[in-house]
Amino acid sequence: QVQLVESGGGLVQAGGSLRLSCAASGSIWSINALGWYRQAPGKQRELVARITSGGRTNYVDSVKGRFTISRDNAKNTVYLQMNSLKPEDTAVYYCRVEVGYYPFDYWGQGTQVTVSS
């Protein structure tokens, strides 16, 4: 059974920083990519940042220059460093692990990030 455990969310003032972590446990292998997604109230879930097994990263335009995704392969953990946070970054953040076999991805339970103005 694979579990993704997220941590690091919370309430922060605009301009502040948070670091999200997502640790994968259980029988997991052949990881193709790790990513962070977010969903704000009334909006669709969107990709925030993604890092491939080869280390290639991509970000949604709204977070470029402020957020950094990184990973620790030995710990099967992915991080999202979020700086210069804005109220519009408020959302539930989910991690996703893409693997090369069925079910092809796993999702975390989500962690709330709230940025006050």
Side-chain angles (χ1 to χ4, degrees):
Q1 192 78 354
V2 174
Q3 277 193 317
L4 302 183
V5 179
E6 297 149 344
S7 60
L11 173 65
V12 65
Q13 287 189 330
S17 299
L18 285 173
R19 188 191 193 211
L20 304 183
S21 299
C22 174
S25 63
S27 182
I28 188 168
W29 68 94
S30 187
I31 295 176
N32 292 332
L34 304 162
W36 287 95
Y37 295 70
R38 66 186 178 188
Q39 187 165 19
K43 294 188 177 181
Q44 288 190 330
R45 189 174 298 188
E46 66 170 351
L47 171 66
V48 177
R50 182 175 179 267
I51 183 167
T52 69
S53 58
R56 179 173 296 181
T57 60
N58 62 287
Y59 299 87
V60 66
D61 286 346
S62 60
V63 308
K64 286 180 180 177
R66 300 188 296 122
F67 291 11
T68 303
I69 189 170
S70 61
R71 66 183 185 186
D72 184 331
N73 290 336
K75 297 180 179 179
N76 274 347
T77 299
V78 60
Y79 305 95
L80 185 68
Q81 178 66 43
M82 305 186 294
N83 299 328
S84 302
L85 282 160
K86 304 176 180 180
E88 51 264 42
D89 294 319
T90 295
V92 178
Y93 284 70
Y94 299 89
C95 69
R96 179 191 183 205
V97 177
E98 299 172 46
V99 296
Y101 53 92
Y102 184 85
F104 300 109
D105 65 3
Y106 298 97
W107 289 85
Q109 79 286 356
T111 185
Q112 178 70 47
V113 171
T114 302
V115 184
S116 63
S117 57

